[in-house]
Structures are given as C-alpha cells and as structure tokens.
Amino acid sequence: MRQELMQRIPHQTISEQVGEINAVLRGHYAYYGVAGNLRSLVKLYRVVERYWRMMLCSRSWAGRRLTWDAFHQIKERTPLLKPKLRLPYGKLQALAAL
C-alpha cells in the first residue's frame, strides 16, 4: 500500500476511503495473487488494516477513542477486500505443464 494514498485520503468519508483502499488492494491482489504468496497477501491486509485504523484515530479528538471493536463495526459496514489468490495451485500446475 502506498503511503501517499493513506496521506491523501484522511479527510474523505469512510466509504470513499474504503473505495480507494480497495482499488489499490484489488490491483495488488491481482498482480501478486499467485500460488504460494497468500501469506504475504494476508500480511499486507493486516498492515493496511492497522494503518487505516491509525489514520481514523488521528482524524479528531473523538477518534482517539476508536477501539478495535468500534473499528471492526466500521469494517462490517464498509469491508476491506480480503486477500484472494488469482492464480491458485491447480491453474499454476496446468500452466507449468504446457
């Protein structure tokens, strides 16, 4: 995730933030979502999740009380894209056989 994106979107609404973050995540998953790379994608997801929460906490004095439970409620309403393999093992083996 590019830090420029996270520094550019803090004053947008939460739904706009999620839209931009998900667009970047979708591209990252499409490029790096090959078999054997799921652990790295999950790590990226966790880093983005933590950084987004820190950004939400820094928006106002009220945001400093944003607990993880409250953050998970926000994520239920506006979810981040979960990591997904675009090229799983079966397809990768089929390509290797060619």
Side-chain angles (χ1 to χ4, degrees), residues 19-79:
E20 292 203 31
I21 292 170
N22 281 342
V24 172
L25 285 175
R26 188 177 299 112
H28 193 85
Y29 296 160
Y31 188 80
Y32 293 104
V34 295
N37 208 19
L38 186 61
R39 185 175 293 165
S40 296
L41 296 178
V42 171
K43 282 183 183 180
L44 174 80
Y45 176 82
R46 297 285 184 224
V47 167
V48 168
E49 183 180 52
R50 280 194 309 268
Y51 198 82
W52 185 40
R53 181 181 174 270
M54 280 188 342
M55 186 184 65
L56 290 176
C57 287
S58 69
R59 283 172 43 146
S60 69
W61 286 103
R64 298 193 196 285
R65 294 187 307 261
L66 183 67
T67 63
W68 277 102
D69 291 332
F71 178 69
H72 287 299
Q73 288 176 356
I74 291 171
K75 274 185 30 186
E76 285 178 12
R77 282 182 271 139
T78 53

